[in-house]
Amino acid sequence: MLITGFPAGMLACNCYVLAPRQGADAIVVDPGQRAMGPLRRILDENRLTPAAVLLTHGHLDHMWSAQKVADTYGCAVYIHPADRPMLTDPIKGFGPRLAQVAVGAMFREPRQVVELDRDGDKIELGGITVAVDHTPGHTPGSVVFRADADRGNPDSVVFTGDTLFRQSVGRTDLLGASGRDLLESIVTKLLVLDDDTLVLPGHGERTTIGLERHTNPFLEGLTP
């Protein structure tokens, strides 16, 4: 499987592309600010066509280019219904109301939106099976995506958005966040995975479930 990515925008949100091979349909995860240029280069170089845009949650830095990517390539955006309002109001509850209105005027829903409303559901996209786990905490509609990257282990890679990072976890001081929910999500949905599961987070470097289980200071003492 082909998996690649790049940090996009001022907040360096990791945008990922995965596909079964070159010349195939692809999945785009979290296309953030100024993602379209580098994303187009990856797609063109590998002869890929996006079959779906997956959003781990609705924050601005993760969904900035979602509508543009989806409508340009004629595919759907997949998002949890609790975060769907952020597609048109990505900074709701943050900063002055004037700023919310100004930023909200820049965004509209993609032509095709699919709600990820079934926890643990598996969906077939571009020849890849992706499992969706609801992981509230950072936002009410945060999800993680599990995929079979080595053809035999359905949980060999997990895209964790802002739920779990290398040596850290997602913020819980924002509107709609919950520290208790975040840790419960990590324990019940991520720490149950194999130690060698590759973690591709929304920011920063990749890691593994095992490394975070044993060294992440925020997870000390937590067990599934």
Side-chain angles (χ1 to χ4, degrees), residues 119-168:
D119 186 32
D121 198 13
K122 293 184 178 181
I123 51 180
E124 295 285 341
L125 296 167
I128 301 171
T129 300
V130 177
V132 184
D133 293 320
H134 186 206
T135 54
H138 180 65
T139 67
S142 287
V143 298
V144 299
F145 300 108
R146 290 178 284 119
D148 180 359
D150 61 11
R151 301 298 183 185
N153 179 2
D155 300 331
S156 58
V157 60
V158 59
F159 299 86
T160 58
D162 285 1
T163 295
L164 179 66
F165 304 118
R166 184 181 180 94
Q167 301 291 289
S168 189

Side-chain angles (χ1 to χ4, degrees), residues 13-113:
C13 171
N14 290 328
C15 175
Y16 297 102
V17 178
L18 62 156
R21 61 190 177 280
Q22 290 186 324
D25 287 342
I27 296 172
V28 179
V29 180
D30 288 354
Q33 184 188 29
R34 296 196 292 270
M36 196 65 181
L39 175 60
R40 184 180 285 114
R41 286 193 291 273
I42 289 173
L43 297 174
D44 290 347
E45 288 170 2
N46 293 282
R47 308 183 311 282
L48 301 174
T49 302
V53 174
L54 305 185
L55 298 180
T56 59
H57 62 291
H59 280 159
L60 181 65
D61 53 328
H62 290 254
M63 54 68 65
W64 188 294
S65 300
Q67 177 266 326
K68 185 173 183 180
V69 174
D71 289 355
T72 297
Y73 291 98
C75 61
V77 169
Y78 290 69
I79 190 170
H80 192 276
D83 279 13
R84 182 172 181 173
M86 294 184 186
L87 290 174
T88 55
D89 193 0
I91 62 168
K92 183 178 181 180
F94 302 106
R97 178 60 186 163
L98 181 60
Q100 294 176 40
V101 171
V103 171
M106 301 168 56
F107 294 92
R108 59 181 175 85
E109 274 207 354
R111 287 192 288 267
Q112 302 177 62
V113 178

Side-chain angles (χ1 to χ4, degrees), residues 15 54 78 95 105 110 140 143 153 172 184 189 191 197 199 201 209 217-218:
C15 175
L54 305 185
Y78 290 69
V143 298
N153 179 2
T172 57
E184 181 178 355
K189 302 297 176 62
L191 293 187
T197 299
V199 174
I209 290 295
F218 295 92

Side-chain angles (χ1 to χ4, degrees), residues 196-214:
D196 59 356
T197 299
L198 178 65
V199 174
L200 298 179
H203 301 270
E205 300 177 357
R206 62 180 57 191
T207 182
T208 66
I209 290 295
L211 183 63
E212 299 314 304
R213 189 195 314 278
H214 296 107

